[in-house]
Amino acid sequence: MKGILLAGGRGSRLHPITVGVSKQLLPIYNKPMVYYPLSVLMLAGIRDVLIICSPHSMEGMRTLLGDGSHLGMNITYALQEEPRGIADAYRIGADHVAGESSALVLGDNIFHGSGFQDLLARTVENLDGCTLFGYPVTDPERYGVANVDAAGRLIGVEEKPRSPQSSNAITGLYFYDPDVVEIARDLAPSARGELEITDVNQRYVDEGRADLVELGRGFAWLDAGTYSSLLEAGHFVRTLANRQGVHVACLEEIALRLGYITAEECHRMGSEMRHSDYGEYLVQVALSLADTPTGAQS
């Protein structure tokens, strides 16, 4: 399975913060924002990831993540010159997907929850068409919304409806079979001039090949694309680290626990950042897991 991380756009909701820096390079507590969606792809077992960048973010993203080899990953990059909608990721990334199933994650989305890695593994194993993830919100008119029948089957999706039929927002994480590339190619721009991922999802719904996984109690989903949500995300990650010792989206730790890198390599990367608490944490993780690696955490 291939991964696509969409880190394009202008970050206009965060102006003036993002006038001089890409949104996905902003900090969420002690890590760049892009670490969080990338960690989701890693937890799903995906090692081949295309990051789609705006001209504004390409250089910084390459400097930060390189080719991914230090994480046991293969990371490549593609340019999205202008924001053209989420579904444009599958036009840009068609060669990357190359007839395989794929996962697409948005660059400002943060996920965390007990058992999340197992949930992702089941999603990959059982994928037949597309799988979407729903999360209850108080303001569904701001999101794509999933409508289900009495049996919980997905029967429709709406993009930012004026009168939502449900409070189940569709998160920025999507799993698709190889047909998604042709579906995206066939799309016409919406009234707002974008290639809508909702139209892709509705096509799968119409064909009876769309599933919805509801992220309920015990899960957190944050869209860190506004001032308030950016601050909220930082507080959330800090609280988990300081009160529970849970370090969300620590890429080096995930890579170590998945067996992509060795404890020695993790220790080396931590030592190179030894003047930061993050680097010190990596050193401690490497020492503790040198002989007894366990399952990854988000």
Side-chain angles (χ1 to χ4, degrees), residues 184-266:
R185 281 175 175 158
D186 290 343
L187 290 182
S190 66
R192 61 177 184 166
E194 295 193 356
L195 300 173
E196 304 287 358
I197 200 69
T198 297
D199 292 339
V200 172
N201 297 334
Q202 186 62 51
R203 171 79 172 269
Y204 279 101
V205 171
D206 292 343
E207 295 176 356
R209 298 194 297 135
D211 292 321
L212 179 72
V213 176
E214 298 196 28
L215 301 176
R217 183 169 304 198
F219 282 92
W221 169 58
L222 297 165
D223 170 2
T226 67
Y227 305 128
S228 295
S229 60
L230 184 67
L231 185 61
E232 179 185 0
H235 285 314
F236 174 75
V237 173
R238 179 179 182 272
T239 298
L240 285 175
N242 290 349
R243 295 187 181 180
Q244 300 181 24
V246 175
H247 292 256
V248 181
C250 180
L251 300 183
E252 298 86 352
E253 179 182 9
I254 293 172
L256 173 58
R257 291 182 182 272
L258 289 173
Y260 295 173
I261 62 174
T262 65
E264 182 180 359
E265 289 170 322
C266 183

Side-chain angles (χ1 to χ4, degrees), residues 90-127:
Y90 278 104
R91 293 188 174 185
I92 296 172
D95 290 341
H96 170 72
V97 173
E100 294 189 38
S101 296
S102 60
L104 168 65
V105 65
L106 304 188
D108 58 4
N109 274 222
I110 298 169
F111 296 84
H112 176 71
S114 177
F116 188 45
Q117 184 180 6
D118 292 337
L119 177 62
L120 293 172
R122 290 195 299 272
T123 299
V124 171
E125 182 179 357
N126 299 320
L127 181 65

Side-chain angles (χ1 to χ4, degrees), residues 37-185:
L38 181 56
S39 75
V40 172
L41 298 178
M42 292 176 69
L43 289 170
I46 297 170
R47 301 181 72 169
D48 195 349
V49 175
L50 174 70
I51 300 181
I52 298 176
C53 303
S54 68
H56 191 42
S57 63
M58 179 70 80
E59 182 179 354
M61 204 69 71
R62 284 184 180 274
T63 300
L64 177 67
L65 296 171
D67 63 3
S69 58
H70 63 293
L71 299 170
M73 302 280 289
N74 177 43
I75 297 176
T76 53
Y77 302 85
L79 193 62
Q80 186 184 48
E81 294 283 358
E82 293 289 337
R84 291 186 294 266
I86 296 172
D88 188 45
Y90 278 104
R91 293 188 174 185
I92 296 172
D95 290 341
H96 170 72
V97 173
E100 294 189 38
S101 296
S102 60
L104 168 65
V105 65
L106 304 188
D108 58 4
N109 274 222
I110 298 169
F111 296 84
H112 176 71
S114 177
F116 188 45
Q117 184 180 6
D118 292 337
L119 177 62
L120 293 172
R122 290 195 299 272
T123 299
V124 171
E125 182 179 357
N126 299 320
L127 181 65
D128 181 18
C130 89
T131 298
L132 311 176
F133 294 81
Y135 191 84
V137 297
T138 57
D139 51 353
E141 65 278 358
R142 291 184 53 228
Y143 303 95
V145 174
N147 298 322
V148 298
D149 62 16
R153 291 186 294 263
L154 184 62
I155 58 174
V157 292
E158 297 180 276
E159 181 64 25
K160 299 180 180 177
R162 292 185 179 181
S163 301
Q165 299 179 42
S166 83
S167 61
N168 223 354
I170 297 173
T171 71
L173 175 62
Y174 318 86
F175 285 78
Y176 295 109
D177 69 8
D179 294 343
V180 66
V181 171
E182 289 304 319
I183 292 173
R185 281 175 175 158

